[in-house]
Amino acid sequence: MAADEIRVLSAPDLAQFLALVERDPVVNVFADYRARTTGLDPRWLGGQVWGRFVDDVLVAACHAGANLVPVQCDPVSASRFARYAARNGRRSSTIVGPDLAVDQIMHGLDGRWGVPREQRRRQPHLEIAGSPAVAPDPEVRATTRDDMAELYPACVAMYTEEVGVSPESAGGADLYRARVQQLISKRWSFARFEPGTGRVLFKAEVACVSPFAAQVQGVYVPPDRRGEGLATAGMAAVVEHVRRDIAPVVSLYVNDWNLPARRAYERVGFTETARFATVMF
């Protein structure tokens, strides 16, 4: 019988883990980024990465930090990780990743992590590996620290609308402000500002990067300016900036019910390559 075990990964497992994520490098960009930036050291991860080994070969993994993210999980692996997660108790606020693996984990948890406050199924995962299909907005640029006064309120508004709670709740303002500043310093934050007022008319950020891809998050246009094409031209500009300076492929995932956003991404040239699911506790 094949030896089959789950254990916490560490630095000596990094090469095997990177080989695993590279089986689907764009879908797995978050896990790839976290592994490369932390070396799988729990002190820097703020959590753990679990690996399933069969005869000492890593066949699947699960990032277990603020987000629980399955990596290359077939149904058996997802079920095994669900049992492991149930025994260890909930330390993650979100489960996110390929929808079938997330569904299997939720089934295996069988309520032992409590009742989720929201579940978002069948989220299209989109990619673009070439030039955008529409003209980019020339006013979209990388933000600087001088933009913080205008940019930060837009980031808070986007997060609150998307997640349903303010990032400043429960004393989180300082941490969230630091995160926005970090993205600016990396030149991973992009925006268009209204002349004269400085108001943010469009913004988006790069959340994580690997040698293969960059994942975009936080796409936002103020409600009173939606429907004008700002998101379409803005995202085309982000694609150009990212592919020129950061990574060769741009990816993101979007709620299935957000038809205006999906149409905008389609016009830019994004195509669907997978389906994600997000479960929030």
Side-chain angles (χ1 to χ4, degrees):
M1 180 178 293
D4 190 331
E5 66 167 342
I6 289 177
R7 63 173 173 82
V8 177
L9 303 186
S10 60
D13 301 304
L14 181 60
Q16 270 205 85
F17 181 76
L18 293 178
L20 180 72
V21 300
E22 287 173 18
R23 294 179 188 174
D24 198 346
V26 182
V27 164
N28 292 324
V29 62
F30 170 80
D32 193 342
Y33 169 70
R34 293 286 287 153
R36 291 178 192 272
T37 55
T38 65
L40 297 181
D41 186 328
R43 295 173 298 174
W44 303 111
L45 275 166
Q48 299 174 333
V49 175
W50 307 331
R52 180 185 175 216
F53 290 82
V54 177
D55 285 341
D56 296 322
V57 176
L58 182 65
V59 298
C62 200
H63 175 281
N67 300 314
L68 189 78
V69 182
V71 178
Q72 296 301 113
C73 283
D74 61 12
V76 173
S77 296
S79 295
R80 292 286 310 278
F81 285 128
R83 292 196 294 271
Y84 193 83
R87 289 197 303 271
N88 283 273
R90 184 172 71 81
R91 301 177 184 178
S92 305
S93 60
T94 304
I95 304 175
V96 59
D99 60 345
L100 296 180
V102 172
D103 288 348
Q104 192 68 42
I105 289 172
M106 286 297 296
H107 177 75
L109 284 171
D110 193 26
R112 283 171 286 185
W113 271 18
V115 179
R117 64 179 179 86
E118 187 172 355
Q119 301 188 52
R120 301 179 181 182
R121 306 289 181 170
R122 306 292 294 164
Q123 296 172 300
H125 175 274
L126 310 175
E127 301 177 15
I128 183 169
S131 298
V134 298
D137 185 343
E139 300 300 318
V140 171
R141 59 171 174 81
T143 62
T144 70
R145 288 187 177 273
D146 292 340
D147 299 315
M148 192 66 177
E150 293 78 22
L151 182 64
Y152 182 73
C155 291
V156 172
M158 178 284 305
Y159 187 103
T160 304
E161 180 178 338
E162 175 66 19
V163 179
V165 296
S166 170
E168 299 183 320
S169 63
D174 288 346
L175 284 174
Y176 190 65
R177 183 176 293 274
R179 173 60 174 164
V180 174
Q181 291 174 333
Q182 179 188 53
L183 294 173
I184 292 172
S185 68
K186 288 176 176 284
R187 296 185 66 81
W188 288 5
S189 167
F190 303 91
R192 176 183 178 172
F193 299 88
E194 186 174 57
T197 68
R199 182 190 185 200
V200 173
L201 299 182
F202 164 85
K203 77 159 197 75
E205 296 95 35
V206 170
C208 49
V209 172
S210 77
F212 307 99
Q215 187 178 93
V216 171
Q217 67 174 16
V219 180
Y220 180 76
V221 172
D224 64 312
R225 298 299 301 269
R226 293 172 187 174
E228 300 178 21
L230 289 166
T232 301
M235 280 302 300
V238 169
V239 168
E240 283 207 330
H241 283 292
V242 171
R243 293 192 66 250
R244 183 184 65 231
D245 300 327
I246 301 176
V249 179
V250 183
S251 71
L252 55 83
Y253 56 99
V254 60
N255 293 317
D256 65 335
W257 43 260
N258 193 344
L259 296 181
R262 293 177 63 179
R263 285 194 292 267
Y265 300 142
E266 183 178 1
R267 287 193 289 268
V268 173
F270 283 88
T271 57
E272 182 176 323
T273 60
R275 286 283 172 124
F276 270 32
T278 301
V279 179
M280 292 179 282
F281 292 88

